[in-house]
């Protein structure tokens, strides 16, 4: 592949894990910051590629457009066999695929609903009730991840010698509502994995940009 892929992303959003993978895999890329909820020329450009106006969206040098975080991550892993994932044939590979898909399938939709409750129900009381229901469901999902992976203290989510994109994804998602404190009550091992990811200096600048000290996901 000649040229550089172009990533449309937004601070604090789902594009953070794609950026993390690009950095760790040594991929050179260009980046456009765009808030999907704020009209701008950048958003118009994004919608021309992805009519839903969602991030991450990745435009490859040949013009191919990739959307959906896991699709982008799997494309990157195919370009770098043996990096950031158990190899095919590794007994941990099925678990890797299961939980990598589980995160956006089970947990991410809680933000699609919870961030925009007014799209689904009317009235402040109903919206508050719906938002709380998404939080309760999110915590139940994290408890399921904790039970399914049972990470070893000080280790990575899958017990691999090195981190995988699953660990990166966990680090990002646990930053979101209801936050690390609440998630720790149901998934302490998972939060420990997230904190181990963030302690690595290779991604320090990235996490600081996406999740500064005053970051709050209401």
């Amino acid at each position: 592949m000649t040229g550089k892929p172009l990533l449309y992303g937004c601070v604090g959003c789902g594009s953070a894990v794609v950026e993390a993978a690009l950095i760790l895999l040594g991929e050179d890329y260009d980046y456009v910051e765009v808030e999907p909820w704020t009209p701008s020329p950048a958003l118009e450009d994004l919608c021309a590629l992805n009519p839903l106006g969602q991030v991450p969206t990745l435009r490859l040098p040949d013009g191919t457009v990739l959307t959906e975080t896991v699709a982008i991550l799997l494309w990157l892993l195919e370009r770098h066999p043996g990096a950031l994932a158990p190899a095919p044939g590794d007994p941990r590979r099925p678990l890797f695929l299961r939980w990598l898909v589980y995160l956006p399938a089970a947990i991410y939709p809680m933000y699609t609903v919870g961030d925009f409750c007014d799209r689904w129900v009317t009235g402040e009381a109903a919206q508050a009730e719906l938002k709380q229901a998404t939080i309760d469901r999110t915590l139940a999902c994290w408890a399921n991840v904790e039970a399914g992976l049972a990470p070893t203290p000080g280790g990575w989510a899958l017990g691999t010698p090195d981190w995988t994109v699953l660990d990166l994804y966990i680090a990002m998602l646990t930053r979101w509502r209801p936050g690390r404190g609440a998630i720790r009550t149901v998934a302490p091992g998972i939060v420990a994995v997230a904190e181990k990811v963030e302690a690595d200096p290779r991604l320090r600048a990235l996490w600081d940009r996406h999740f500064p000290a005053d970051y709050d996901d209401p």
Side-chain angles (χ1 to χ4, degrees):
M1 183 176 71
T2 59
K4 294 188 288 185
L6 175 64
L7 176 65
Y8 287 83
C10 180
V11 167
C13 294
S15 53
V17 67
V18 172
E19 278 198 88
L22 286 163
I23 291 168
L24 293 176
L25 294 171
E27 288 274 358
D28 195 12
Y29 66 100
D30 290 323
Y31 179 83
V32 176
E33 175 71 21
V34 53
E35 292 184 345
W37 51 86
T38 304
S40 68
L43 180 58
E44 292 176 7
D45 292 343
L46 170 60
C47 288
L49 300 175
N50 181 355
L52 293 179
Q54 294 175 333
V55 296
T57 292
L58 188 69
R59 189 191 71 196
L60 306 186
D62 66 359
T64 300
V65 175
L66 272 177
T67 66
E68 315 315 316
T69 302
V70 169
I72 297 172
L73 292 175
L74 291 176
W75 175 80
L76 284 168
L77 294 177
E78 288 178 355
R79 287 174 49 79
H80 298 270
L84 294 181
D90 187 312
R92 290 168 293 202
R93 180 78 174 186
L95 283 179
F96 168 76
L97 294 172
R98 173 191 175 185
W99 294 108
L100 184 64
V101 173
Y102 176 94
L103 296 180
I107 297 178
Y108 196 99
M110 296 303 99
Y111 303 102
T112 304
V113 175
D115 287 351
F116 307 100
C117 291
D118 57 331
R119 295 180 181 177
W120 313 104
V121 296
T122 58
E124 291 185 4
Q127 291 167 13
E129 184 178 359
L130 177 59
K131 189 167 188 175
Q132 185 59 50
T134 67
I135 292 172
D136 295 343
R137 173 66 176 178
T138 298
L139 290 172
C141 288
W142 280 121
N144 190 36
V145 177
E146 178 87 3
L149 289 174
T152 303
W156 300 111
L158 291 170
T160 47
D162 202 356
W163 54 7
T164 71
V165 293
L166 180 61
D167 300 294
L168 307 181
Y169 216 145
I170 286 169
M172 180 187 74
L173 277 184
T174 54
R175 281 289 191 167
W176 296 353
R177 189 175 58 248
R180 294 265 174 90
I183 296 170
R184 194 188 309 273
T185 64
V186 298
I190 290 299
V191 172
V193 167
E195 292 172 342
K196 183 177 180 179
V197 169
E198 292 186 354
D200 191 293
R202 288 173 287 179
L203 296 176
R204 184 70 267 158
L206 174 74
W207 298 126
D208 286 347
R209 175 163 61 85
H210 279 280
F211 307 107
D214 60 352
Y215 176 82
D216 180 42
D217 186 13

